């Protein structure tokens, strides 16, 4: 774990982070967006955007707010904030198949088999009822609702102008309501993930569900997916190991779920009830529910600041309902489990996401104590760089060639997760300084091997840059304070000894 860092290294990290965030900004459709990374993710993502905006806020407050506002202008009529926005593509156009896979039109295709998506006829997606309002520029799912957390921290740093704050609060209120209205198919009081691309694509808790879906794939479908995958080609071209990415089986399942959701969307538009039978993947996770209950409380604070007591009251009561539902359906006495809504199976799979309810500071003390212990014992102790995303005792961890510590959401260290959870660990500064050490040595990468610290995945990664910028500024500030304190101390000592000298001579 890390040690205090040189002044010049911290300044270099801040400068690198600034350059990356600036370079990843782009304008299209008269709006401002930020890419997670120009190399692997050339569009705008739904949980990256607010995390990056927070990083930009100190230097460029207006740009940061525009990023949030412009992304939210693609919010769906049901309140969903889409997982990806592909700005700049026109009606009926397809996103460049060599730049990213899969392109957005897959979210409007209702077949059940893997297609050649670059060759798909516009007729196969443009007639979908959701295509009309999105113009095909967005995907059909949401990502983790981290927006209110980031916005609250931005507002605390420097108050957001009242009118802009109120509009953002209204949009986030609709986003949160979307989860309760559209993602609680059994009325459990907790909300479900309908696709792993909500944020932790190939995390071990999804293994069984993904395997069940991919089991129906033909060899031709697997071959077709392999041929179309741009992420693997780009990883190899950059000299990386493709086994740090999800497998082709995972991708077959990702695509089949997308088609299933497009079919469910058509059904909803026909006015027919949509049940869990219509949704291929239904997972109630502590990560989503814990983050949403915290986000509801943050939204309540923001709503109060914007003079919207109505929204504040509703958000706080939604948070209470989630808390109760989590304890009833996901708490197993020792930790939070993932619940598969298709099979009813509940498993505490030792994935770092199971500690995310720590963000909800209103959960009972004994629950929070248990989670702190899990965070330390399962995800920190015994790893050189913490927190690892998958505990060593997780039997489901399957190593890619590069080792499980290196495979995407199956083990590596993600700095945004570190930053969210560090305040609840025994040693937040050690986590921070270690993360800064990784960034200084390996660059601002998407994730890092939990054992060797090697930088992996996309380079020049936005939310890593945002986190590193915040942490490096904090560390610099501390060094400056220590210097001042040391300076005062030295001045006092020098002063005292000078007086003594003076006295002894007198
Ligand atoms: C990807 O392309 O790997 C993303 O995680 C999908 O959101």
């Amino acid at each position: 774990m890390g040690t205090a860092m040189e002044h010049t290294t911290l300044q270099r990290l801040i400068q690198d982070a600034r350059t990356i965030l600036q370079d990843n900004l782009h304008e299209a459709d008269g709006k401002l967006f930020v890419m997670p990374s120009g190399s692997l993710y050339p569009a705008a993502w739904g949980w990256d955007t607010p995390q990056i905006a927070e990083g930009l806020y100190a230097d460029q407050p207006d740009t940061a707010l525009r990023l949030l506002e412009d992304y939210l202008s693609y919010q769906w009529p049901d309140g969903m904030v889409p997982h990806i926005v592909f700005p700049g593509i026109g009606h009926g156009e397809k996103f460049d198949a060599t730049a990213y896979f899969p392109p957005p039109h897959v979210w409007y295709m209702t077949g059940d088999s893997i297609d050649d998506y670059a060759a798909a006829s516009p007729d196969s997606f443009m007639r979908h009822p959701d295509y009309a309002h999105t113009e095909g520029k967005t995907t059909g799912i949401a990502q983790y609702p981290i927006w209110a957390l980031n916005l609250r921290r931005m507002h605390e740093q420097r108050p957001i102008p009242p009118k802009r704050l109120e509009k953002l609060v209204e949009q986030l209120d609709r986003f949160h309501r979307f989860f309760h209205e559209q993602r609680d198919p059994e009325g459990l009081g907790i909300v479900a993930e309908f696709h792993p691309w909500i944020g932790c694509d190939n995390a071990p808790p999804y293994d069984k569900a993904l395997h069940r879906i991919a089991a129906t794939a033909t060899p031709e479908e697997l071959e077709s997916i392999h041929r179309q995958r741009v992420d693997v080609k780009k990883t190899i071209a950059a000299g990386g190991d493709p086994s740090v990415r999800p497998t082709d089986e995972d991708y077959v399942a990702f695509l089949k779920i997308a088609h299933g959701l497009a079919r469910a969307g058509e059904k909803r538009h026909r006015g027919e009830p949509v049940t869990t039978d219509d949704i291929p993947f239904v997972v109630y996770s502590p990560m989503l529910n814990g983050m949403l209950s915290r986000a509801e409380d943050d939204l309540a604070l923001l709503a109060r600041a914007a003079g919207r007591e109505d929204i504040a009251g509703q958000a706080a009561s939604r948070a209470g309902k989630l808390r109760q539902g989590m304890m009833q359906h996901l708490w197993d006495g020792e930790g939070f489990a993932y619940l598969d809504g298709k099979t009813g199976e509940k498993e505490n799979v030792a994935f770092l996401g199971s500690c995310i309810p720590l963000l909800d500071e209103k959960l009972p003390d004994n629950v929070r104590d248990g989670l702190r212990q899990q965070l330390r014992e399962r995800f920190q102790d015994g790893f050189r760089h913490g927190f690892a995303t998958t505990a060593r005792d997780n039997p489901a961890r399957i190593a890619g060639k590069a080792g499980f510590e290196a495979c995407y959401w199956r083990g590596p260290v993600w700095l945004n997760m570190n930053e969210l959870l560090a305040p609840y660990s025994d040693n937040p500064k050690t986590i921070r300084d270690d993360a800064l050490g990784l960034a200084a040595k390996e660059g601002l990468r998407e994730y890092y091997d939990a054992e060797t610290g090697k930088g992996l995945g996309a380079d020049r990664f936005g939310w890593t840059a945002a986190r590193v910028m915040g942490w490096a500024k904090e560390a610099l500030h501390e060094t400056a304070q220590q210097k001042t304190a040391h300076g005062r101390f030295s001045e006092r000592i020098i002063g005292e000894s000078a007086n003594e000298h003076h006295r002894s001579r007198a």
Side-chain angles (χ1 to χ4, degrees), residues 32-98:
L32 192 63
F33 297 93
V34 66
M35 295 178 284
S37 146
S39 55
L40 213 47
Y41 306 110
W45 260 255
W47 77 308
D48 298 65
T49 296
Q51 296 185 69
I52 296 171
E54 187 192 329
L56 272 167
Y57 192 59
D59 289 348
Q60 302 183 56
D62 187 60
T63 300
L65 287 176
R66 268 192 67 199
L67 282 178
L68 301 181
E69 292 161 345
D70 288 352
Y71 198 97
L72 288 172
S73 70
Y74 289 86
Q75 185 165 28
W76 281 32
D78 64 4
M80 188 184 83
V81 175
H83 127 262
I84 312 180
V85 174
F86 292 84
I89 43 171
H91 196 68
E93 262 174 37
K94 292 184 200 152
F95 195 71
D96 177 3
T98 62

Side-chain angles (χ1 to χ4, degrees), residues 15-16 28 35 91 126 157 200 266 302 320 366 373 420 441 503 505:
Q15 195 43 52
D16 288 352
M35 295 178 284
H91 196 68
M126 285 176 69
Q157 217 182 94
C200 300
E266 265 191 348
L302 290 164
N366 66 318
Q373 188 180 342
L420 286 174
K441 185 156 171 283
R503 272 198 303 274
R505 282 173 64 108

Side-chain angles (χ1 to χ4, degrees), residues 109-112 128 256 258-268 280:
M109 293 176 69
T110 53
D112 193 33
H128 193 285
K256 286 190 181 268
H259 295 322
L261 291 171
R263 285 195 294 278
E266 265 191 348
K267 209 172 162 191
R268 202 179 53 244

Side-chain angles (χ1 to χ4, degrees), residues 289-305:
N289 285 282
M291 191 176 288
L292 185 57
S293 64
R294 166 58 187 263
E296 293 284 24
D297 279 339
D298 284 337
L299 178 63
L301 278 173
L302 290 164
R304 240 165 246 128

Side-chain angles (χ1 to χ4, degrees), residues 321-389:
K321 185 173 143 202
L322 279 172
R323 221 165 268 138
Q324 211 180 341
M326 277 163 68
M327 291 308 298
Q328 187 181 343
H329 299 289
L330 303 182
W331 180 250
D332 69 6
E334 287 183 1
F336 280 109
Y338 278 68
L339 169 64
D340 188 322
K342 302 288 282 183
T343 61
E345 197 180 345
K346 205 152 117 174
E347 254 191 306
N348 188 338
V349 255
F351 174 63
L352 188 60
S354 60
C355 292
I356 284 292
L358 270 171
L359 300 182
D360 181 341
E361 295 175 3
K362 293 186 180 154
L363 279 167
D365 285 347
N366 66 318
V367 169
R368 294 179 53 74
D369 290 346
L371 289 178
R372 276 177 199 271
Q373 188 180 342
Q374 291 207 348
L375 183 64
R376 183 178 58 247
E377 290 179 356
R378 291 179 121 174
F379 303 103
Q380 194 177 9
D381 287 353
F383 287 104
R384 284 190 58 207
H385 303 282
F387 309 108
T389 28

Side-chain angles (χ1 to χ4, degrees), residues 41 45 83-84 100-102 143 197 201 231 245 251 408:
Y41 306 110
W45 260 255
H83 127 262
I84 312 180
Y100 181 74
F101 178 82
Q143 289 207 292
W197 280 342
D201 311 22
D231 60 319
R245 294 285 306 169
Y251 261 75
Y408 211 36

